[in-house]
Amino acid sequence: MVELNTQSAANIAVVIPALNEELAIRSVVSAALLHCPNVIVIDDGSSDGTAAQLADLPISLITHAQPQGKAQAMLEGFSAALTRGYDGVVTMDGDGQHGAEDIPRLLTVAAQYPRHIVIGARLRGRNNAPGGRRFGNDAADWFVSWTAGQAIVDTQSGQRYYPREVLELAKNLPHSGFVFESEILIEAANHGIRCVSVAIESRYQEGRRASHFRPFTDVMRITRMIAWRLFCGGFRIGNYLRARREPPIVIR
Ligand SMILES: Nc1nc2c(ncn2[C@@H]2O[C@H](COP(=O)(O)OP(=O)(O)O)[C@@H](O)[C@H]2O)c(=O)[nH]1
Ligand SMILES: [Mg+2]
């Protein structure tokens, strides 16, 4: 029998940030538990029944009295994972847009690519995403790739595997909220950690709750962070050329 080399699910944690996710969180967490025994949920001051949905599940639940933002929630999940000595973390959104069935693939790729962040890239059924989000995601990919010095596919996806080294780096990031996903890729690249993207399904359903992502405010905050890093780095011309010249690593 051929033994598949993979990162063991027992040695990682799945971290799920949740803000008002009472509709989806129970099925998301139950599915994650099928693939990993260590699930950490951060209920970020939800005003709905998110916590009640999780009451009887065998997970670690971190609860905030007030919302502190997605980045802060993730950092607390990372900190719990570091304290418990895990090798890394898989992150998933709490609204059902990511499938737990993709966790084994991310872990297999994680084992094949040490010192890489593994991104679940929403390439399958990409046309399901609203046009505005697709345009914004493509623009973000272009700028983050330039700044990081590597062509990266789906820089805004929240489903990822972060090796332990990146969990440590994340502690020092200055920005909060949705800037986190972009900034961690750039910070990791500054330390020689690269990205590999694995194709996953793009899931957008009609009639779901409004996104917490604020198109104007959050795009402005991400743009400002990138512009500042480019400015401080002398516009990183070498990085720009490398990102344009070398193709991204994508596993279909
Ligand atoms: N803890 C926490 N999680 C958040 C916050 N904002 C968004 N999230 C979570 O981040 C994930 C992505 O948010 P979502 O609104 O679905 O963004 P979209 O998928 O980009 O439209 C979901 O799991 C949310 O529950 C926040 O302020 N705090
Ligand atoms: Mg979502």
Side-chain angles (χ1 to χ4, degrees):
M1 195 175 85
V2 180
E3 186 118 335
L4 199 59
N5 185 21
T6 186
Q7 167 68 53
S8 161
N11 297 336
I12 65 130
V14 175
V15 168
I16 305 175
L19 176 64
N20 296 333
E21 300 291 9
E22 68 178 358
L23 292 180
I25 195 71
R26 190 175 175 87
S27 60
V28 169
V29 171
S30 303
L33 282 167
L34 297 176
H35 296 280
C36 177
N38 319 306
V39 176
I40 302 170
V41 179
I42 305 90
D43 175 14
D44 195 26
S46 296
S47 53
D48 67 356
T50 297
Q53 290 293 327
L54 300 171
D56 57 335
L57 295 179
I59 59 163
S60 303
L61 181 62
I62 299 172
T63 307
H64 292 163
Q66 298 291 329
Q68 295 178 25
K70 188 179 181 189
Q72 182 57 29
M74 304 267 267
L75 284 180
E76 284 182 39
F78 291 3
S79 167
L82 285 168
T83 306
R84 293 170 205 178
Y86 296 130
D87 295 342
V89 153
V90 168
T91 57
M92 286 177 59
D93 286 357
D95 60 355
Q97 283 190 285
H98 301 140
E101 66 273 15
D102 289 317
I103 293 174
R105 289 175 65 226
L106 296 187
L107 296 183
T108 300
V109 174
Q112 288 161 356
Y113 288 84
R115 297 202 82 224
H116 281 68
I117 295 170
V118 184
I119 300 176
R122 297 161 291 181
L123 294 167
R124 297 181 182 161
R126 192 170 178 269
N127 293 340
N128 295 337
R133 283 307 280 272
R134 254 182 295 155
F135 174 79
N137 288 342
D138 287 349
D141 283 2
W142 200 84
F143 280 105
V144 173
S145 296
W146 171 4
T147 318
Q150 182 200 3
I152 303 172
V153 174
D154 206 359
T155 57
Q156 302 307 298
S157 171
Q159 189 170 30
R160 298 177 174 185
Y161 172 79
Y162 294 108
R164 190 178 170 90
E165 188 179 352
V166 178
L167 307 181
E168 295 279 1
L169 288 177
K171 290 180 190 165
N172 306 320
L173 296 183
H175 292 96
S176 58
F178 281 98
V179 181
F180 179 85
E181 260 88 13
S182 300
E183 193 166 40
I184 188 71
L185 300 183
I186 297 169
E187 186 65 20
N190 290 348
H191 290 79
I193 296 162
R194 318 282 285 169
C195 292
V196 48
S197 299
V198 178
I200 62 166
E201 204 70 42
S202 180
R203 297 178 182 87
Y204 282 86
Q205 297 132 12
E206 293 288 321
R208 53 182 293 279
R209 63 144 177 78
S211 173
H212 298 305
F213 187 87
R214 296 156 300 174
F216 183 75
T217 314
D218 288 316
V219 167
M220 280 305 291
R221 294 182 73 221
I222 294 169
T223 307
R224 208 166 48 200
M225 177 277 292
I226 290 177
W228 180 245
R229 283 189 178 247
L230 282 174
F231 178 74
C232 295
F235 294 97
R236 304 193 182 200
I237 302 305
N239 277 10
Y240 175 82
L241 294 174
R242 204 167 334 122
R244 300 275 80 77
R245 213 170 32 222
E246 296 171 15
I249 314 173
V250 182
I251 296 171
R252 301 273 167 182

